[in-house]
Amino acid sequence: MEKILHLNSVDQYNQLYGLETLNPLISVIDLNKATRQMDYVHWNYGVYALYLKLEKACDIKYGRQTYDYQEGTVVCFAPGQTTETTLTTDRIQVNVLGILFHPDLLRGTSLGKNIKKYTFFSYEVSEALHLSEEERSIVTDCLRIIRMELEHGVDKHSKTLLVNHIELLLNYCMRFYERQFATRSKANRDVLTRFERLLDEYFEGALTEEDGLPTVKYFADKLCLSPNYFGDMFKKETGKAPQEYIQEKVIELAKERISDTKETVSRIAYSLGFQYPQHFCRLFKKRVGCTPNEYRMQNNL
């Protein structure tokens, strides 16, 4: 069985590639300066990582599929994720820049509290960030400034400045991803159309009573997207979270069944995938402003 390397520190990564460690919690990497390479490595990340690939020199697999990681792209990984990297060149130096930082660096900072909002750390295959020349320059400038701060030496301002610059870099990546969503608008609309069809099929079939209420992950898997990427793309296109959209669909179906049938509220709840009718009644009242029975009475049904 292939060995999985548990990447629990930035120094561990630097030692593997022969790079210098200036701070035990953060490192800006430049694989052009590597003194050794690994032809293949199966990583289990214990740190955050962001890589900017400036040439086609390696393949990354994530979830047993090849990552959309070509020239001029950024990929990000968070603690707990597993990837496989295969070198596609016989050169020791490859044109890849990046940053690794340990979760401990973020303890007690606003970024530590808000790191989950950077959902691109959980994007999967075919979801890499493709940069323009200008965007590439911004990313490399951010990495250069962080590197300069690391070379400055440690003082009472070091942690604040390092975390602030990381946050700036991540905010730029969020902007660039939103630009990418916009430039892929037609493809995104095709995804939304497929989502609508899958949603209708789910409620028209027997899946609700067998599997319960549909989840965002269920539809993301069907669309071959990660839940975070699907959620971000959906919100960019519609202004709503997919979970909110699913709930709206449930309420519309509930209204139809309350209006068109004599079924009990409990039976309607079960048919829509609720395990407990009271959960359905609570959601209905939150969305509609009255209980299902009150809605039926108001409409003289």
Side-chain angles (χ1 to χ4, degrees):
M1 180 180 291
E2 64 192 27
K3 182 180 179 181
I4 298 177
L5 288 178
H6 294 273
L7 187 59
N8 295 319
S9 71
V10 297
D11 185 59
Q12 182 184 358
Y13 183 96
N14 287 337
Q15 286 189 35
L16 286 170
Y17 289 95
L19 297 169
E20 184 182 14
T21 299
L22 298 174
N23 184 304
L25 296 179
I26 176 174
S27 184
V28 174
I29 62 168
D30 181 354
L31 292 186
N32 280 305
K33 298 178 180 178
T35 57
R36 49 184 174 270
Q37 276 289 353
M38 301 182 69
D39 293 336
Y40 171 86
V41 59
H42 193 163
W43 296 113
N44 179 264
Y45 280 88
V47 299
Y48 290 94
L50 180 151
Y51 302 105
L52 168 60
K53 187 176 184 182
L54 297 170
E55 66 175 343
K56 173 65 175 172
C58 64
D59 289 327
I60 294 179
K61 282 193 172 182
Y62 183 49
R64 299 190 178 279
Q65 298 185 60
T66 301
Y67 218 116
D68 179 18
Y69 187 40
Q70 303 302 316
E71 180 180 336
T73 56
V74 165
V75 294
C76 304
F77 302 109
Q81 293 177 303
T82 300
T83 68
E84 300 172 62
T85 302
T86 304
L87 201 64
T88 57
T89 179
D90 57 1
R91 291 183 289 113
I92 292 178
Q93 288 83 19
V94 295
N95 204 5
V96 174
L97 305 176
I99 183 170
L100 286 83
F101 54 97
H102 197 279
D104 285 351
L105 180 69
L106 310 183
R107 307 286 183 212
T109 68
S110 61
L111 180 57
K113 296 175 183 176
N114 297 317
I115 191 68
K116 289 185 182 298
K117 83 174 185 180
Y118 299 100
T119 48
F120 49 78
F121 277 109
S122 296
Y123 288 176
E124 294 182 3
V125 295
S126 302
E127 299 164 357
L129 176 57
H130 299 258
L131 300 181
S132 67
E133 286 290 340
E134 181 182 13
E135 292 167 347
R136 215 177 296 182
S137 295
I138 290 172
V139 170
T140 55
D141 283 346
C142 287
L143 293 174
R144 178 179 54 80
I145 292 170
I146 295 171
R147 176 78 186 190
M148 287 174 55
E149 180 57 37
L150 288 171
E151 291 173 345
H152 179 273
V154 178
D155 58 30
K156 65 180 181 179
H157 303 290
S158 296
K159 179 174 178 176
T160 298
L161 289 169
L162 286 169
V163 172
N164 285 347
H165 287 308
I166 292 171
E167 190 167 16
L168 178 64
L169 172 61
L170 299 183
N171 283 335
Y172 271 120
C173 287
M174 285 186 72
R175 169 187 278 179
F176 300 155
Y177 258 114
E178 287 187 6
R179 183 271 307 159
Q180 185 162 292
F181 288 141
T183 57
R184 295 182 176 182
S185 185
K186 183 181 183 303
N188 293 344
R189 287 195 297 272
D190 291 342
V191 170
L192 297 186
T193 299
R194 289 164 57 203
F195 169 58
E196 283 278 2
R197 186 169 63 250
L198 288 167
L199 190 58
D200 287 338
E201 289 172 355
Y202 193 96
F203 284 105
E204 288 169 2
L207 287 174
T208 49
E209 295 198 48
E210 292 176 3
D211 299 331
L213 285 168
T215 63
V216 173
K217 184 180 184 307
Y218 170 85
F219 293 113
D221 288 346
K222 291 288 185 181
L223 296 167
C224 298
L225 299 172
S226 65
N228 279 349
Y229 186 92
F230 174 55
D232 290 346
M233 179 269 288
F234 189 90
K235 192 162 188 177
K236 179 69 177 177
E237 290 289 328
T238 69
K240 299 177 181 178
Q243 184 61 41
E244 181 184 3
Y245 191 84
I246 292 170
Q247 289 182 354
E248 288 179 355
K249 179 75 171 180
V250 168
I251 295 302
E252 288 306 308
L253 289 171
K255 287 180 175 179
E256 288 178 14
R257 295 180 189 182
I258 290 170
S259 302
D260 297 340
T261 72
K262 299 297 183 182
E263 289 183 331
T264 65
V265 169
S266 292
R267 180 62 202 140
I268 292 172
Y270 292 133
S271 71
L272 290 171
F274 288 86
Q275 188 174 2
Y276 303 106
Q278 57 266 39
H279 292 172
F280 164 66
C281 293
R282 191 155 48 239
L283 176 65
F284 192 95
K285 186 170 184 178
K286 179 181 177 181
R287 289 281 181 177
V288 182
C290 62
T291 68
N293 280 325
E294 288 170 345
Y295 180 82
R296 180 170 269 168
M297 290 175 64
Q298 290 170 7
N299 288 276
N300 297 315
L301 300 169

